[in-house]
């Protein structure tokens, strides 16, 4: 397996044909997987906004005031408003906003980003990252994973995760296969798109590298059972359930 960044991509703006810009810089081979940072997918899809585009309501003003008193930093209620509008649910409102996006991904601030956003104050995640991945996959003829940098519970540090994917299953099902002692695996469903996203995000970096697109080469999903589920269903998510009742 071999990963490399696509060099020379320009600053991406609303309306850019991201597939064409990548295609012009890569000789794709059969079986390649393109991992692309959600930031540039969002920019191409015109998901960049200003604070003025959001009108704070009572709820967002309340959240901003709480966050301000906890952190001591000034908080613009219109940011909280953007998070509310991008979310299905806010699981936690303080000391940070943990949101369920409309497409099912759970992350801080609904993934709304303020880094690498020259044309606006805020960059929202793509509306439907798997649909974005599918469009890129159709145009390029390879599997596509749309990534974002995200925190995780229990551990310090952020890492790349898959927020959308197309052209390959999300997970590889190992159940029914055997370990080295012949014991049958009973539970392991490996989130392959997250593992690719993590590796690609390491190559892409987090700063001014200008390398949002990473090619995974000489790796294949293989003839295995797969699953499309990555975002845990509400009814078997005990962590989400517990956090709803938690008060800071
Ligand atoms: P996120 O993880 O999707 O939030 O994206 P990041 O802001 O961490 O950026 C990931 C990579 O993409 C970094 O190498 C950035 O320098 C790069 N990047 C972000 N926006 C652009 C862009 O418009 N053009 C290019 N060429 N690179 C970008
Ligand atoms: Mn991001
Ligand atoms: Mn990042
Ligand atoms: Mn193990």
């Amino acid at each position: 397996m071999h990963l490399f960044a696509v060099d020379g991509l320009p600053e991406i703006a609303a309306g850019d044909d991201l597939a064409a810009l990548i295609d012009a810089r890569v000789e794709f081979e059969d079986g390649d997987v393109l991992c692309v940072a959600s930031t540039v997918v969002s920019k191409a899809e015109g998901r960049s906004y200003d604070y003025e585009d959001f009108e704070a309501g009572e709820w967002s003003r309340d959240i901003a005031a709480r966050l301000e008193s906890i952190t001591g930093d000034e908080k613009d209620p219109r940011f909280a408003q953007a998070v509310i509008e991008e979310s299905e649910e806010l699981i936690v409102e303080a000391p940070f906003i943990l949101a369920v996006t409309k497409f099912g991904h759970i992350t801080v601030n609904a993934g709304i980003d303020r880094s690498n956003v020259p044309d606006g104050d805020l960059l929202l995640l793509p509306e439907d990252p798997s649909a974005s991945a599918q469009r890129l996959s159709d145009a390029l003829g390879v599997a596509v994973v749309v990534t974002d940098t995200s925190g995780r519970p229990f551990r310090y540090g952020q890492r790349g995760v898959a927020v959308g994917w197309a052209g390959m299953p999300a997970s590889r099902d190992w159940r029914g296969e055997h370990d080295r002692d012949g014991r049958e695996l009973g539970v392991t469903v490996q989130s392959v798109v997250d593992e690719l996203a993590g590796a690609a995000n390491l190559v892409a970096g987090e700063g001014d590298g200008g390398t949002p697109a990473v090619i995974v080469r000489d790796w294949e999903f293989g003839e295995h059972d797969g699953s499309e589920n990555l975002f845990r269903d509400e009814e078997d998510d005990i962590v989400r359930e517990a956090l709803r009742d938690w008060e800071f």
Side-chain angles (χ1 to χ4, degrees):
M1 179 177 171
H2 170 192
L3 290 92
F4 59 94
V6 177
D7 285 326
L9 283 167
E11 179 63 34
I12 304 300
D16 281 354
D17 185 343
L18 187 57
L21 290 167
I22 294 171
D23 203 23
R25 291 165 175 81
V26 185
E27 292 284 338
F28 279 106
E29 293 183 8
D30 276 355
D32 283 353
V33 179
L34 166 68
C35 296
V36 61
S38 53
T39 290
V40 291
V41 175
S42 290
K43 285 176 179 174
E45 293 179 358
R47 299 280 285 161
S48 180
Y49 288 86
D50 291 316
Y51 283 123
E52 290 77 69
D53 298 322
F54 297 93
E55 200 184 322
E58 202 178 319
W59 188 13
S60 54
R61 281 197 298 270
D62 174 62
I63 291 173
R66 282 172 72 194
L67 293 176
E68 212 166 270
S69 72
I70 292 164
T71 63
D73 300 329
E74 203 174 314
K75 298 286 176 186
D76 193 316
R78 295 170 297 179
F79 181 82
Q81 184 64 33
V83 176
I84 289 169
E85 290 182 25
E86 281 303 292
S87 302
E88 198 61 51
E89 180 189 350
L90 304 189
I91 301 173
V92 169
E93 294 179 9
F96 51 82
I97 311 176
L98 184 65
V100 187
T101 65
K102 295 199 168 136
F103 61 91
H105 173 50
I106 298 179
T107 193
V108 171
N109 293 336
I112 298 178
D113 213 322
R114 283 178 292 177
S115 64
N116 288 317
V117 195
D119 297 338
D121 302 320
L122 308 172
L123 188 64
L124 314 187
L125 283 176
E127 214 166 318
D128 181 350
S130 284
S132 310
Q134 187 66 58
R135 287 190 290 272
L136 290 167
S137 177
D138 290 344
L140 296 168
V142 296
V144 174
V145 178
V146 176
T147 71
D148 193 24
T149 302
S150 181
R152 60 258 169 94
F154 310 117
R155 304 167 82 94
Y156 291 116
Q158 294 82 39
R159 51 86 50 97
V161 298
V163 293
W165 56 93
M168 63 176 292
S171 304
R172 171 184 167 176
D173 195 341
W174 285 82
R175 291 173 299 180
E177 298 190 41
H178 295 87
D179 75 1
R180 289 162 58 83
D181 300 318
R183 183 192 295 266
E184 190 174 309
L185 300 176
V187 294
T188 306
V189 178
Q190 182 179 27
S191 172
V192 168
V193 288
D194 275 335
E195 297 194 318
L196 295 179
N201 199 58
L202 186 61
V203 174
E206 299 293 349
D208 62 0
T211 45
V214 172
I215 309 300
V216 179
R217 184 159 289 171
D218 298 327
W219 173 83
E220 57 177 343
F221 186 85
E223 291 298 314
H224 304 289
D225 288 338
S227 133
E228 283 310 322
N229 293 345
L230 191 61
F231 307 130
R232 197 178 275 282
D233 289 333
E234 214 173 328
E235 53 272 22
D236 51 46
D237 193 341
I238 60 167
V239 177
R240 188 193 312 200
E241 187 67 44
L243 284 173
R244 278 177 179 148
D245 297 334
W246 177 75
E247 279 291 334
F248 180 74

